[in-house]
Amino acid sequence: MFNLTNVVMEMNGEMDANGGRRTIMQIRDLKKVFNGTVVAVDGVTFDVYEGEIFGFLGPNGAGKTTTISMLTTLLRPTSGTATVCGFDILKEPNEVRKRIGVVPQEYTADEDLTGYENIMFCADLYGIPRRISRERADELLRLVELEVAKDRKVETYSGGMRRRLELACGLINHPRVLFLDEPTLGLDVQTRAAVWQYIRKLKEEYGMTLFLTTHYLEEADALCDRIAIIDHGKIVKIGSPKELKDSLGGDVIELGVQESDDDLTPLISSVQHVKEVKRVSPSEYRIKSELGEVTAPMVIDALRSKGYRVNKISLTRPTLDQVYLELTGKSIREENGDRTQAMRQRMIMRRARS
Amino acid sequence: MSDLTTAEANKNLVQPAGGIPAPGDKSNSTIISSSPYHGLWALTNRELKKWYKNPVILLLSLIQPVLWLGLFGKAMNFGAIFTDGAFSIPGLNIPKEIINQLGTMLMLNVFGTTDYFSFLAVGMLSFIVLFTAMFSGMSIVWDRRLGTLNKVMSTPVARGSIVMSKILSSVIRSLVQASIILVLAVLLGMNISNITAIGVLGTFASLALLSFGFSAIFLMLALRSTNQNTQMAVVNLLNLPLLFGSNALFPASFMPEWLQAFVKINPISYATDIGRQMLLGAGGMGTLAFDFAYLTAFAAAFSIVGIMLSWRLLTK
Ligand SMILES: Nc1ncnc2c1ncn2[C@@H]1O[C@H](COP(=O)(O)OP(=O)(O)OP(=O)(O)O)[C@@H](O)[C@H]1O
Ligand SMILES: [Mg+2]
């Protein structure tokens, strides 16, 4: 619908040495201490590149929301600096605010107003002239498929509709960076998929940079260009999903051979790509390797050529779950139940108001 | 498809070349210079919309002052007590006219007007202003709890506008409610023989000033609060002392010294005094000029402090 080939960028991003990507956010040793004792964010340093989807992963209380709050100028860092779109979050917060959109963890739309009124309210906060904001509101409502419901009060909206409305509100100023704090929390699988589809569409249509936190690792894996895993306020790992998974030492090949007294470990180790071999039992080996799908047949060939027969083989690729577990010591699955519950409570409290 | 193209074409027609970019153009569409009043009005309007779209709240907020008017104003009709033979001393045969005259003089001396209902009606105007202001603080507590405040603060809207909008909407609400109370009071028999347009304008100006000051105070109290119960407790703690420690319900001249001293600094007294002088032609506590000066200082001081505090407190 729109011609988006010409992306004119403001000249305040810096060229990055590796890959020539433009840096849109620079975070340097950012730290937040609450009440002098609670260290919520403990000196994080990273860059976010223009046009990427950057995911922030971490267990409850890791400091994700606090980081987003500082980058969106809601919280004053205890120390450290950050620039967003080339503007210092402390020195020129208003310039930052003009260029970002925020979709917070909670539903913040006004229940007593209609969807359309909510969007127009956001537009007015950015000082967008009416004639433009009306057009944009229609366009965004169409994008998130809320046209039919736009004149209904938000209190009649379902969770998914509210999320979509929040998305639309966060986009009204056509931000260069959109911050999403757990955009799919508390939504069912279908709605989650739909929200992600919108987010992808938005990124393509507006060429935005997305900074998001999520607890759904499959989503982070599938959508994010890069991921930072944060725990206890510190970034423990940063990289593309593939890099993170590779950091686990690659794929795991489990091999069953005919029982024999010979230790086949040296033989298997000599195969290309194999990184680590462990004899689990006299007839079973556990191999860590890169490019498992290529290595496995080579291992079989190597064994066969020496007269050993392989009678069982399995290949497991590392998942982001395993990475997360290894780095934070917590399984993300255990947490999701609690979180959905917390979200419910929040919704109930909100209802009690009306 | 052809529909779409026409729509696109129209869009281009509407938009001046080189002006504000089309939706698809992301180059600098985010940077829109805005007037500071744009956001202020949006925020104020949001508050007002919630109010006028919900007539139940409006009605509920009117019930209390109307009840007070009915119960105190009509039941405790001091004028009737002192006149029309309700007041007689056994053994003394004083002619009725003299008693009535005495009663009228008594009323004039104590209340500055001949009927208590009118006296109280003006007090109720201040009452509604005070109560509306008290609850304006609650909305910012809710906004904070529900995350709306954070959402608003992530936009470039001026921090001062956030607090100012709450004050403004409270002032507007107060004045609308006061008008309704005034009309009801007149219908119920308030003395309007001395009413003038200037008098009404002056009274509402004083109420607006009162509302500015009190709304700012209660917002400041609410600014850092995350708990609506705390805020409720504060409101409950303050409302009756403020009301009874003023001349809104009873004249100050019969109060103990220490209470009189409080009445003299309580801005409610000044707004009520202006109302009584300008609507009823009653004798006042001080000159109109002094009353207005006092209220203006009160409103200005607390609005300014409120806005300055909001700068500091809203950024944690
Ligand atoms: N206003 C505050 N005052 C004191 N402590 C706070 C405050 N906000 C956050 N914290 C603490 O800072 C830490 C990080 O909180 P934060 O909300 O950033 O975590 P999170 O990673 O977003 O967690 P979640 O996944 O639950 O949203 C927590 O220990 C939290 O208790
Ligand atoms: Mg969080």
Side-chain angles (χ1 to χ4, degrees), chain A residues 88-116:
Chain A
D88 191 297
I89 55 165
L90 280 173
K91 291 184 195 124
E92 291 176 288
N94 240 26
E95 295 303 317
V96 174
R97 289 175 194 135
K98 283 181 197 166
R99 289 165 177 81
I100 60 169
V102 183
V103 179
Q105 201 165 349
E106 304 98 347
Y107 296 143
T108 59
D110 199 315
E111 302 254 309
D112 303 323
L113 305 183
T114 67
Y116 186 75

Side-chain angles (χ1 to χ4, degrees), chain A residues 108 110 117 132 139 174 206, chain B residues 23 26 30 46 50 151:
Chain A
T108 59
D110 199 315
E117 284 170 334
I132 295 168
E139 170 200 329
H174 288 180
Y206 299 106
Chain B
K26 315 155 291 297
T30 50
R46 164 173 171 258
K50 290 161 84 91
K151 165 87 150 285

Side-chain angles (χ1 to χ4, degrees), chain A residues 45-76:
Chain A
T45 297
F46 60 97
D47 285 347
V48 176
Y49 304 121
E50 173 113 46
E52 73 176 344
I53 301 186
F54 189 90
F56 226 42
L57 279 180
N60 287 152
K64 303 182 295 294
T65 301
T66 309
T67 308
I68 286 198
S69 297
M70 288 191 283
L71 294 179
T72 55
T73 74
L74 297 176
L75 262 185
R76 184 168 276 276

